[in-house]
């Protein structure tokens, strides 16, 4: 790849990051999420020192960027100067707002145009030769354009190009060619630069979605000129998936987790939100937090499709806990409800149901950009076989496959498929047996399934109930008791109480017997969103075969192929190998997500990681295993994760710094590029010494790891951190705090480099012992597990030569890929550690105004004399 030939920007975001202070600007800090097509473009109207238009083309993992002072023209004879600037992250294409004065490019920005582009010929060769020919399919710009380089920067700081329109059916002359004056507003929100400058909110009041068909396919009446009315609430039935035996071997498919929750379609109309169940019932009252979150998204009218689920701390969804949360109304439990949005059916006057899925998702991604739980856009992958294998390995229900080239069709279709890891079936409750030895209570549920109009007996289930569930079932079934069964073939049983067949439940089981009865069944939960008449025995069908192109497919693929098999993705100019490999099955996150995360946080991590001797945890096969131990080596096991403290095999391309500390080799980093290369080489975790080179023998911080007994809540850990902060203040020491990616917290005390390791180790031990002596019922300073029962272990032993602690912004090789994140003390009580993952932290960094650890490295504190005297005795 001859990226260097295009100018001095380089295929990297280092220059972009170096030019911005993300503590003050809300510009994206480099998450670099790939678009659905891999060929997006955006033109942003930007009033900085002077008005200009930023023209950006997505290519090889970044947005190639040019500043066009006069903006594009539709007249073939107009040559518009285009000055090449630094590459931008791909998520910059959604940026609209004001860059603060004093920051690089200070001033308002709007998304003036956006869409897809397609190179004519080899784009790399065109960039190298300085002649890039391409076709745009945007909302304002369409047809062929060309960029021609005029200088390579020898006499000027930046390469200059000319942007010109080619002669085609989209070319215009005279005043009709001046599109920048004719259409000054944002295609994203309808705002002008003056609106943004005045603080008008991004409510998308005037935004009208356009057809994404190619220019040759557009009708004479474009979509924006014939806006559709928002369909009435509850009038759209959801698209349903067909149960198949296996994932397809080929074809334009993507795959999502099969969430264990309730299907929900949400209607948004000028800030008012109503949420419908699968059957079209109004369930808005059940999801008030989700409704409030949807009312604030960047759309005026919309219909969203998704699944509401209860998310456990390990990242998996739990159907019974979802029911309990909806039933109890406990705020803490309801706060774990998440709306996983996976489709968009209507948007600001445009009915998108006829559009291909890949383009519906691309629009949805724009609307939900920057949103956080309870709104989450459902991730997807393209390697169905590997995804299904990983999903089953960790106990998920299965996966959903969807064709990317097909429209949204209500009802069950083979364009959506579901592949299950285990046998699960929805069944009708037709009766129950009492609890043995009691005249009240439920021992087992009797179940039925419809066969045509006949309701046939399908067995019983007597396990899987929680106390709360049994109590709820007893109340519901008590109101439905009848004298005789409604079954076509009732079983001969004694002590059965029959009920009206009005309730549906979900059951996990091993198999169907030849008589049509479940074997080894376990109750999963009630399906209040399902009608009994919908319940049919599910029999898996063969997977769809290799797919022949649909009539619409050639145009879609010719314009923007979804997957380019001949090119591996790049992040910051680094080729990512095995990019689609799933590294965490609980979330579906891939290796590419990890590398993008590292690029996004590298700038924030580097000040704390640079020249600090490192210990790495590398996981070539993903997160679902413990760190490699010597006992594994003796047993002949292959490591899934292993520790590495020296350069060694697999890190040759990273170019790490190396040195000898005592008799042991050590490694360290000095650049953001090295951090990204570490992620490319499967380094999940970075742990660092308490000192930096060259003075590795003089620590510059003390770390206290607050490690709670498993039975303790995180709230207890938070309170212990505040108590430690106050204890340290009595010694005239200020402290900073961060999450660890687990249940604990790290309290960090920066110190001047004037004490040796022995002194720092003794001082940290003395502080831990002081706290343990002051509150022996809450704290312990010894590693003994017996002594730690019900208490918090103040781990001071990381403060020794060669000992390490996880570095700020490091991922952890644990389910969900959590992240160790610096937190401001004022925000600590509102932190939920399991929500800080590689998927959410980059967005958090991009939004924050101040760095909670900004002063840590400059706070060179000295240890108090009374403490030094105490450890000298």
């Amino acid at each position: 790849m001859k990226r260097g030939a295009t100018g001095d920007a380089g295929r990297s975001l280092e220059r972009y990051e170096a030019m911005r202070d993300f503590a003050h600007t809300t510009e994206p800090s480099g998450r670099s999420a790939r678009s659905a097509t891999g060929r997006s473009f955006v033109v942003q109207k930007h009033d900085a020192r002077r008005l200009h238009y930023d023209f950006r083309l997505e290519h090889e993992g970044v947005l190639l960027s040019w500043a066009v002072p006069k903006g594009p023209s539709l007249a073939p004879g107009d040559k518009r100067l285009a000055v090449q600037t630094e590459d931008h992250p791909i998520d910059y294409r959604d940026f609209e707002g004001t860059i603060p004065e004093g920051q690089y490019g200070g001033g308002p920005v709007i998304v003036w145009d956006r869409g897809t582009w397609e190179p004519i010929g080899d784009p790399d060769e065109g960039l190298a030769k300085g002649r890039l020919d391409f076709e745009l399919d945007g909302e304002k710009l369409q047809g062929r354009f060309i960029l021609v380089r005029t200088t390579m920067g020898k006499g000027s700081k930046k390469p200059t190009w000319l942007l010109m329109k080619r002669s085609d059916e989209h070319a215009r002359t005279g005043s009709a060619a001046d599109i920048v004056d004719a259409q000054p507003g944002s295609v994203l929100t309808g705002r002008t630069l003056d609106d943004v400058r005045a603080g008008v909110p991004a409510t998308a009041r005037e935004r009208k979605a356009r057809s994404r068909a190619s220019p040759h396919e557009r009708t004479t009446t474009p979509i924006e000129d014939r806006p559709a009315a928002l369909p009435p609430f509850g009038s759209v039935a959801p698209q349903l998936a067909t149960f198949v035996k296996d994932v397809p071997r080929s074809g334009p498919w993507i795959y999502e987790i099969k969430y264990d929750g309730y299907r929900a379609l949400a209607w948004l109309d000028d800030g008012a939100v109503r949420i419908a169940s699968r059957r079209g019932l109004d369930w808005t009252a059940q999801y008030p937090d989700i409704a409030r979150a949807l009312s604030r998204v960047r759309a005026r009218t919309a219909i969203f499709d998704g699944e509401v689920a209860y998310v456990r701390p390990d990242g998996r969804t739990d159907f019974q806990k979802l029911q309990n949360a909806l039933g109890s109304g406990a705020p803490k439990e309801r706060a774990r409800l998440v709306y996983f949005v996976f489709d968009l059916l209507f948007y600001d006057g445009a009915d998108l149901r006829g559009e291909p899925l890949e383009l519906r998702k691309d629009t949805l991604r724009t609307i939900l950009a920057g949103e956080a739980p309870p709104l989450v856009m459902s991730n997807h992958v393209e390697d169905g076989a590997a995804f299904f294998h990983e999903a089953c390995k960790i106990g998920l229900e299965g996966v959903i496959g969807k064709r990317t080239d097909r429209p949204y069709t209500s009802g069950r279709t083979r364009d959506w498929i579901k592949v299950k890891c285990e046998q699960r079936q929805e069944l009708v409750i037709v009766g129950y047996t009492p609890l043995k030895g009691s005249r009240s209570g439920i021992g087992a549920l009797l179940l039925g399934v419809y066969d045509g109009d006949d309701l046939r007996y399908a067995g019983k289930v007597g396990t899987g109930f929680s106390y709360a569930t049994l109590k709820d079932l007893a109340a519901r079934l008590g109101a439905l008791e009848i004298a005789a069964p409604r079954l076509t073939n009732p079983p001969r049983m004694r002590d059965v109480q029959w009920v009206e067949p009005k309730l549906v439940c979900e059951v996990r089981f091993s198999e169907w017997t030849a008589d049509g009865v479940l074997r080894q069944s376990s109750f999963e939960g009630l399906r209040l969103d399902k009608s009994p008449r919908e319940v049919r025995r599910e029999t898996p069908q063969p997977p769809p075969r290799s797919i022949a192109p649909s009539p619409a497919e050639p145009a879609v693929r010719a314009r923007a192929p979804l997957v380019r098999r001949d090119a591996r993705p790049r992040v910051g100019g680094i080729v990512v190998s095995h990019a689609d490999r799933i590294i965490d099955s609980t979330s579906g996150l891939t290796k590419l997500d990890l590398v993008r995360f590292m690029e996004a946080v590298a700038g924030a991590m580097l000040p704390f990681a640079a020249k600090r001797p490192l210990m790495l945890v590398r996981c070539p096969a993903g997160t679902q295993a413990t760190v490699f131990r010597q006992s594994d080596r003796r047993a002949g096991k292959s490591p899934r994760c292993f520790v590495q403290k020296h350069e060694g095999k697999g890190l040759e391309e990273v170019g790490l710094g190396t040195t000898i500390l005592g008799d042991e080799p050590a490694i360290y980093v000095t650049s953001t590029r090295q951090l990204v290369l570490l992620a490319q080489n499967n380094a999940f975790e970075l742990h660092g010494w308490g000192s930096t080179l060259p003075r590795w023998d003089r620590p510059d911080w003390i770390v206290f790891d607050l490690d709670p007994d498993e039975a303790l809540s995180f709230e207890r850990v938070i309170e212990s951190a505040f108590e430690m902060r106050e204890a340290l203040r009595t010694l005239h020491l200020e402290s900073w705090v961060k999450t660890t990616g687990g249940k604990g917290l790290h309290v960090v005390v920066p110190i001047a480099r004037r004490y040796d390791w022995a002194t720092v180790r003794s001082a940290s031990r003395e502080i831990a012992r002081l706290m343990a002596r002051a509150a022996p019922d809450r704290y312990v300073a010894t590693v003994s597990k017996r002594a730690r029962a019900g208490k918090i272990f103040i781990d001071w032993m990381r403060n020794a030569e060669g000992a390490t602690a996880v570095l700020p912004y490091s991922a952890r090789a644990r389910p969900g890929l959590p992240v160790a994140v610096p937190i401001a003390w004022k925000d600590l009580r509102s932190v939920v550690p399991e929500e800080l993952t590689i998927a959410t932290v980059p967005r958090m960094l991009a939004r924050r105004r101040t760095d909670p650890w900004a002063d840590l490295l400059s706070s060179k504190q000295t240890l108090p004399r009374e403490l030094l005297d105490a450890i000298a005795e």
Side-chain angles (χ1 to χ4, degrees):
M1 172 66 210
K2 308 180 186 69
R3 177 67 180 99
T6 69
D8 61 349
R11 186 62 56 80
S12 167
L13 296 177
E14 288 185 22
R15 185 177 174 193
Y16 168 86
E17 293 168 346
M19 298 167 75
R20 289 159 176 83
D21 181 355
F22 295 108
H24 296 91
T25 180
T26 58
E27 295 167 278
S29 59
R31 182 166 54 90
S32 294
R34 180 185 185 275
S35 70
T37 63
R39 288 289 185 206
S40 64
F41 88 88
V42 65
V43 181
Q44 284 159 314
K45 190 175 180 180
H46 184 186
D47 192 2
R49 288 181 297 175
R50 59 182 64 88
L51 178 65
H52 66 279
Y53 293 76
D54 293 310
F55 184 79
R56 313 190 197 279
L57 302 175
E58 179 184 353
H59 184 58
E60 295 287 344
V62 297
L63 291 174
L64 307 181
S65 299
W66 293 262
V68 184
K70 292 184 177 181
S73 169
L74 300 184
D78 287 348
K79 297 177 181 179
R80 296 295 168 93
L81 177 67
V83 180
Q84 189 172 2
T85 63
E86 73 278 7
D87 294 344
H88 281 52
I90 290 173
D91 49 345
Y92 204 96
R93 67 198 177 110
D94 298 321
F95 176 69
E96 183 167 299
T98 299
I99 302 172
E101 293 299 325
Q103 295 296 304
Y104 176 74
V109 179
I110 62 171
V111 178
W112 182 80
D113 194 20
R114 59 176 294 168
T116 59
W117 75 288
E118 191 65 29
I120 298 172
D122 184 343
D124 296 330
E125 183 177 336
L127 288 165
K129 291 182 176 180
R131 189 178 181 87
L132 181 63
D133 207 344
F134 54 93
E135 187 170 341
L136 297 180
D137 183 13
E139 305 198 22
K140 296 177 181 178
L141 301 178
Q142 295 148 23
R144 291 187 63 178
F145 286 78
I146 188 170
L147 276 163
V148 178
R149 189 172 57 234
T150 61
T151 73
M152 275 296 291
K154 293 180 180 179
S156 59
K157 293 183 179 180
K158 299 178 181 179
T160 59
W161 301 61
L162 295 175
L163 174 66
M164 294 173 282
K165 180 77 181 75
R166 291 283 204 175
S167 295
D168 59 18
E169 68 270 31
H170 300 287
R172 298 291 184 269
T173 58
S175 60
D178 195 359
I179 192 166
V180 295
D181 286 341
Q183 300 187 40
S186 164
V187 297
L188 194 63
T189 64
R191 298 184 296 178
T192 64
L193 286 176
D194 288 340
D195 289 333
V196 174
R197 190 180 286 108
V200 175
T203 54
R205 296 167 310 194
E206 302 171 21
R207 169 80 162 94
K208 292 182 174 62
R210 290 179 60 108
S211 169
R212 297 286 186 168
S214 69
H216 303 289
E217 297 175 305
R218 290 205 172 105
T219 61
T220 55
T221 308
I223 282 181
E224 70 271 22
D225 293 336
R226 44 183 176 84
L230 183 70
F233 174 74
S235 64
V236 179
Q239 182 162 353
L240 304 175
T242 298
F243 182 24
V244 299
K245 295 179 180 178
D246 201 357
V247 297
R249 294 184 178 181
S250 62
W253 294 90
I254 58 171
Y255 299 90
E256 302 167 349
I257 291 174
K258 189 177 189 300
Y259 298 108
D260 214 356
Y262 282 143
R263 188 74 173 273
L265 271 69
W267 268 252
L268 169 65
D269 190 359
D270 279 329
V273 175
R274 297 179 71 186
I275 302 175
S277 71
R278 172 173 160 165
R279 297 163 62 186
L281 302 177
D282 191 339
W283 277 34
T284 313
Q286 279 85 338
Y287 310 128
D289 294 340
I290 294 170
R292 277 192 292 272
L294 284 171
S295 70
R296 298 189 293 264
V297 301
R298 294 188 297 184
R300 182 177 59 81
T301 57
I303 300 177
F304 303 96
D305 191 2
E307 189 99 354
V308 176
Y310 179 100
V311 180
R312 303 190 323 190
D314 64 3
R316 289 187 289 180
T317 55
D318 190 311
F319 186 65
Q320 273 208 22
K321 285 186 177 293
L322 169 63
Q323 292 184 310
N324 295 341
L326 292 174
S328 71
K332 186 176 180 180
E333 291 298 290
R334 296 186 70 89
R336 302 208 65 83
L337 301 188
V338 171
Y339 186 30
F340 290 98
V341 189
F342 47 67
D343 216 326
L344 181 66
L345 316 187
F346 191 93
Y347 178 44
D348 283 10
D351 190 334
L352 304 182
R353 287 173 289 181
E355 297 290 341
L357 173 64
E358 64 179 287
L359 298 179
R360 301 198 307 269
K361 273 187 170 279
D362 198 35
T363 307
L364 177 63
R365 186 176 293 106
T366 297
I367 297 173
L368 297 184
E371 296 297 334
L375 300 183
V376 173
M377 181 165 177
S378 177
N379 287 326
H380 63 261
V381 300
E382 293 157 4
D383 188 342
F387 189 46
F388 180 62
H389 175 74
E390 292 295 326
C392 296
K393 187 188 300 183
I394 64 163
L396 298 183
E397 184 183 349
V399 303
I400 298 290
K402 298 177 181 179
R403 277 192 51 174
T404 60
D405 61 334
R406 302 298 293 151
Y408 188 96
T409 306
S410 295
R412 200 169 301 279
T413 77
R414 286 176 65 84
D415 292 337
W416 288 17
I417 57 172
K418 55 184 174 182
V419 192
K420 297 184 179 181
C421 298
E422 55 188 14
Q423 295 265 38
R424 288 171 74 137
Q425 171 75 51
E426 291 155 6
L427 296 150
V428 183
I429 301 174
V430 297
Y432 66 90
T433 60
L435 195 63
K436 285 188 178 181
S438 173
R439 294 189 176 183
S440 62
I442 295 173
L445 298 178
L446 275 66
L447 308 169
V449 62
Y450 275 96
D451 181 8
D453 291 331
D454 295 335
L455 181 59
R456 303 188 64 82
Y457 179 66
K460 61 182 181 179
V461 59
T463 62
F465 305 105
S466 67
Y467 174 77
T469 300
L470 285 173
K471 187 177 179 180
D472 180 53
L473 282 170
R476 292 177 185 273
L477 296 177
L480 299 175
E481 293 179 356
I482 55 177
R486 297 284 192 257
L487 295 167
T488 301
N489 59 335
R492 295 181 180 180
M493 287 186 182
R494 299 177 59 186
D495 299 326
V496 173
Q497 175 58 61
W498 303 105
V499 298
E500 288 280 2
K502 292 187 175 181
L503 290 178
V504 176
C505 69
E506 188 164 331
V507 171
R508 181 172 55 231
F509 63 101
S510 62
E511 62 179 349
W512 291 96
T513 67
D515 298 329
V517 174
L518 302 177
R519 180 173 289 164
Q520 297 179 353
S521 56
S522 176
F523 181 84
E524 289 293 309
L526 285 177
R527 297 296 320 209
L528 301 178
D529 59 334
K530 300 290 179 72
S531 165
R533 284 282 177 178
E534 293 180 69
V535 175
R536 297 288 189 271
R537 177 171 169 177
E538 286 193 308
T539 303
Q541 300 180 22
R545 296 182 178 180
S546 298
I547 295 167
S550 66
E553 187 179 356
V556 172
R557 290 199 163 186
R559 181 173 72 255
L562 182 64
V563 183
R564 297 183 179 274
R565 300 292 183 189
D566 58 340
R568 291 182 295 179
R570 291 174 179 258
V571 174
I574 296 167
V575 175
V576 182
S577 60
H578 308 292
D580 294 333
R581 186 180 68 221
I582 296 171
I583 58 173
D584 179 63
S585 302
T586 62
S587 58
L589 292 166
T590 65
K591 181 181 174 183
L592 182 59
D593 293 318
L594 177 66
V595 179
R596 284 173 171 164
F597 160 78
M598 182 60 86
E599 186 193 36
V601 304
M605 178 190 283
L606 189 63
F608 306 103
K611 294 188 177 180
R612 197 171 293 275
L614 296 178
M615 183 271 283
L616 309 175
V617 177
R618 295 178 62 202
C619 305
T623 64
Q624 310 303 320
T626 57
V627 173
F628 190 46
R629 298 182 174 88
Q630 285 298 118
S631 58
D632 296 325
R633 187 189 304 278
R634 289 192 293 269
K637 296 179 181 178
S638 297
R640 189 156 193 173
C641 293
F642 59 92
V643 169
Q644 192 160 353
K645 296 184 178 182
H646 51 84
E647 190 171 23
K649 184 177 180 181
L651 297 181
E652 297 86 353
E653 68 170 301
V654 181
L656 291 170
T658 61
T659 188
I660 301 295
L661 303 182
D663 296 327
E664 295 292 327
I667 52 177
Y668 59 91
V669 296
T670 56
S671 71
T672 58
R673 178 177 175 82
Q674 288 171 329
L675 291 173
V676 178
L677 280 167
L678 283 175
Q680 149 61 18
N681 285 274
N682 305 299
F684 280 54
E685 300 186 12
L686 278 71
H687 298 247
W689 284 37
S691 63
T692 53
L693 299 168
R695 295 308 308 271
W696 59 272
D697 57 334
R698 291 291 187 265
D700 58 2
W701 67 34
I702 298 174
V703 176
F704 295 100
D705 182 3
L706 303 182
D707 187 4
D709 178 64
E710 286 295 323
L712 297 181
S713 68
F714 186 64
E715 287 74 15
R716 273 283 303 274
V717 185
I718 291 174
E719 293 309 315
S720 72
F722 280 106
E723 289 184 12
M724 170 152 272
R725 183 193 193 194
E726 292 308 311
L728 290 165
R729 280 180 165 175
T730 64
L731 296 171
H732 309 290
L733 293 172
E734 288 298 327
S735 57
W736 283 253
V737 66
K738 76 171 187 285
T739 65
T740 65
K743 286 188 65 177
L745 289 171
H746 281 177
V747 176
V748 181
V749 181
I751 58 174
R753 292 192 186 94
R754 63 169 62 177
Y755 311 103
D756 60 19
W757 281 112
T759 300
V760 169
R761 185 176 188 275
S762 297
S764 61
R765 178 179 59 191
E766 182 65 16
I767 293 171
R769 287 176 174 177
L770 286 171
M771 285 198 67
R773 285 196 293 266
D777 58 326
R778 298 197 299 276
Y779 302 115
V780 63
T782 176
V783 75
S784 167
K785 286 192 175 181
R786 181 178 299 176
R788 292 164 60 182
K791 302 177 184 179
I792 292 175
F793 170 40
I794 304 176
D795 184 356
W796 51 270
M797 292 182 288
R798 301 177 184 278
N799 305 297
E801 181 180 325
T804 61
V806 67
L807 290 174
Y809 306 107
S810 170
R812 303 304 303 270
R814 298 173 180 176
L817 291 174
V819 178
V821 180
I823 302 294
W825 283 107
K826 65 182 178 63
D827 298 328
L828 184 57
R829 285 192 171 92
S830 62
V831 166
V832 181
E834 53 267 27
E835 292 179 358
L836 300 174
T837 70
I838 70 169
T840 62
V841 168
R843 186 165 57 240
M844 182 199 77
L845 287 180
R847 285 178 162 184
R848 77 181 185 187
R849 298 293 186 269
T850 58
D851 180 357
W853 277 29
D855 300 328
L856 184 144
L857 293 177
S858 61
S859 300
K860 303 183 186 304
Q861 304 177 101
T862 57
L863 298 178
R865 174 49 54 188
E866 59 265 36
L867 179 61
L868 295 174
D869 290 344
I871 63 177
E873 294 177 356

